[in-house]
Amino acid sequence: MPKKAPEPPDVLIIGGGIMGTASAWELARHGAKVVVLERSVPGAEASSAAAGILGAQAEAHAPGPMAELCLASRARYANFARLLGEETRIDVGYRECGVLRVAFKSADARKLNAENAWQSTRRLRVEPLGARELARLEPALSPKLSGGVRFGGDARVEPKALLRALHIAALGRGVSFRSGAFVRRVVVEGERAVGVALDDGSELRAKNVVVAAGSWTSLIDGLGLPSGQVVPARGQIVELELPAPPLSHVVFGPGAYLVPRDDGRVLVGSTLEFVGYERKVTAGAVRDLLTHATALLPALEHAELRATWSNFRPYTKDELPLLGRTKVASLFLSTGHYRNGILLAPISAEIVRAAVLGQRMPVSLAAFRPERE
Ligand SMILES: Cc1cc2nc3c(=O)[nH]c(=O)nc-3n(C[C@H](O)[C@H](O)[C@H](O)COP(=O)(O)OP(=O)(O)OC[C@H]3O[C@@H](n4cnc5c(N)ncnc54)[C@H](O)[C@@H]3O)c2cc1C
């Protein structure tokens, strides 16, 4: 008897970063049979390189659909981290630590407060801080700071642990991962996505295809998107270590942000550079980041320099992600999350699940339509 071809999976996901793994886990929890295709290994790129700031308020410079999407995702994080902990026993480092934006000049501190006034109207926790309040909250920060703002609802997470947990949780739910699978093209027949073509010439069929390829999305053929829709925006990070955590909050200052970990590590980020896919840590960037970081937190002068790295934020020109269904039937996108992909993982995974399974959308996607010009 001839062997029957295996039933195609419900969903093929291209990319094993946070968008791919979180969507895979979410879909599998709702009964879908999912395969993730990753040209490297899960978590190889931006998602493991991120600082892990969940800055829905600190990153929201104006009201609008993006601020609301970030707030909706932040509201889901405690549950997301708890569920992952239950399924994997991994602590993903979710901490409701709050985020500070601080300034040296009092005019700049006043500007920070004015910029964020809309958040009080929106009933978000935003507190202006004078020099004395700042010193009481974070005594290790420079005494030269004149004040800032505290975003009490913002949080942090540890991206490497999060990616490991998502991968293991997805495996536990029956998701199959193929590492080293390089997708060249989405195969479209009669205006419907029916699978993908790999660089070894083979084709894989599926009922639905989700593209979660981060900064490499625009290199995949067959998506029907305007060219160059997603481009890489390089960010460099320096990891330092002190014997004990010097901060309780994440701190954004002029020229650098500081993200404390519970074990005394402090991440110093980051640059924003449009240099293509050049994966490099540069002397100038490390010098500038360390100069700004030690000005903010003088004790970092004595910190051990542990590591440096760089990776690529998936940037879109309106700085909004591309989410949900496309003009091609059965083809979906979850990409272009730029600076906030870690924050936006829970809501993006829910959006992908609702779009693929034809369920009610948790938020309006009008601003995030993949085919917008
Ligand atoms: C330095 C830095 C700091 C950051 N800090 C924060 C932060 O504090 N908070 C926050 O919320 N966000 C932060 N971000 C942004 C965040 O990291 C990204 O928005 C997010 O990781 C994007 O996730 P992704 O899954 O789309 O992309 P990625 O993690 O890059 O994953 C895409 C995956 O797709 C795979 N792939 C690509 N093309 C193909 C193909 N053709 N075939 C098969 N596989 C393919 C890649 O190998 C990769 O593994 C930061 C980013 C950087 C670079």
Side-chain angles (χ1 to χ4, degrees):
M1 270 242 298
K3 250 172 121 184
K4 244 177 85 186
E7 175 82 355
D10 298 316
V11 192
L12 264 185
I13 297 181
I14 308 171
I18 196 162
M19 291 307 150
T21 51
S23 302
W25 180 50
E26 175 74 12
L27 281 159
R29 288 195 316 120
H30 287 79
K33 193 169 161 241
V34 184
V35 175
V36 177
L37 303 173
E38 167 55 54
R39 56 172 198 184
S40 177
V41 292
E45 300 288 353
S47 302
S48 297
I53 305 164
L54 306 179
Q57 287 180 250
E59 291 270 335
H61 303 294
M66 182 60 172
E68 293 306 319
L69 190 73
C70 289
L71 289 167
S73 205
R74 191 186 72 183
R76 284 158 169 80
Y77 238 98
N79 196 41
F80 185 69
R82 185 186 55 76
L83 273 179
L84 277 173
E86 281 171 14
E87 293 198 11
T88 66
R89 297 176 182 229
I90 293 175
D91 172 10
V92 299
Y94 172 71
R95 305 286 182 266
E96 293 176 358
C97 57
V99 173
L100 308 180
R101 273 193 182 274
V102 298
F104 286 99
K105 294 186 191 145
S106 43
D108 292 341
R110 279 198 300 277
K111 212 159 119 201
L112 282 176
N113 279 299
E115 264 169 29
N116 294 295
W118 68 271
Q119 296 199 9
S120 316
T121 320
R122 170 68 176 72
R123 292 176 176 274
L124 298 170
R125 281 165 61 200
V126 49
E127 300 152 45
L129 299 173
R132 213 170 307 146
E133 289 151 308
L134 189 56
R136 204 175 29 168
L137 273 181
E138 292 291 1
L141 284 178
S142 167
K144 294 182 184 151
L145 288 163
S146 66
V149 189
R150 177 170 190 269
F151 303 98
D154 281 347
R156 66 178 155 91
V157 72
E158 184 139 9
K160 285 190 183 69
L162 179 61
L163 264 288
R164 214 169 304 130
L166 281 167
H167 181 213
I168 291 170
L171 284 170
R173 292 280 180 172
V175 173
S176 152
F177 284 83
R178 277 189 56 184
S179 292
F182 197 142
V183 176
R184 285 279 174 216
R185 178 169 57 88
V186 171
V187 179
V188 179
E189 289 174 2
E191 296 184 23
R192 170 173 291 275
V194 295
V196 300
L198 301 183
D199 70 339
D200 63 5
S202 64
E203 279 192 14
L204 298 172
R205 309 288 281 191
K207 295 175 191 156
N208 298 282
V209 176
V210 174
V211 182
S215 290
W216 298 268
T217 300
S218 293
L219 306 183
I220 299 171
D221 290 334
L223 305 187
L225 295 176
S227 73
Q229 185 87 327
V230 185
V231 298
R234 187 171 73 188
Q236 303 187 40
I237 289 208
V238 179
E239 187 184 59
L240 303 175
E241 185 171 355
L242 285 168
L247 294 169
S248 53
H249 295 80
V250 169
V251 178
F252 280 84
Y257 59 69
L258 308 176
V259 184
R261 301 276 188 242
D262 296 344
D263 60 4
R265 281 174 298 147
V266 178
L267 296 198
V268 182
S270 182
T271 57
L272 175 57
E273 303 158 275
F274 292 93
V275 290
Y277 296 97
E278 200 180 24
R279 197 185 301 271
K280 220 190 237 179
V281 173
T282 61
V286 173
R287 177 202 57 212
D288 289 351
L289 288 171
L290 290 179
T291 303
H292 291 299
T294 48
L296 274 172
L297 185 68
L300 288 177
E301 295 263 2
H302 309 289
E304 182 179 348
L305 202 158
R306 289 261 315 220
T308 58
W309 62 81
S310 75
N311 212 293
F312 308 104
R313 307 173 186 90
Y315 171 87
T316 61
K317 63 175 185 292
D318 57 11
E319 301 186 5
L320 302 177
L322 313 178
L323 288 172
R325 61 175 61 251
T326 66
K327 278 188 201 143
V328 180
S330 305
L331 178 64
F332 305 87
L333 257 62
S334 182
T335 188
H337 292 81
Y338 187 36
R339 301 166 61 93
N340 287 302
I342 304 300
L343 167 63
L344 289 170
I347 191 76
S348 302
E350 228 177 281
I351 288 168
V352 168
R353 186 251 299 156
V356 172
L357 302 182
Q359 300 166 339
R360 213 174 134 237
M361 266 305 146
V363 291
S364 162
L365 293 186
F368 312 115
R369 274 186 322 104
E371 281 105 354
R372 66 185 185 271
E373 288 293 337

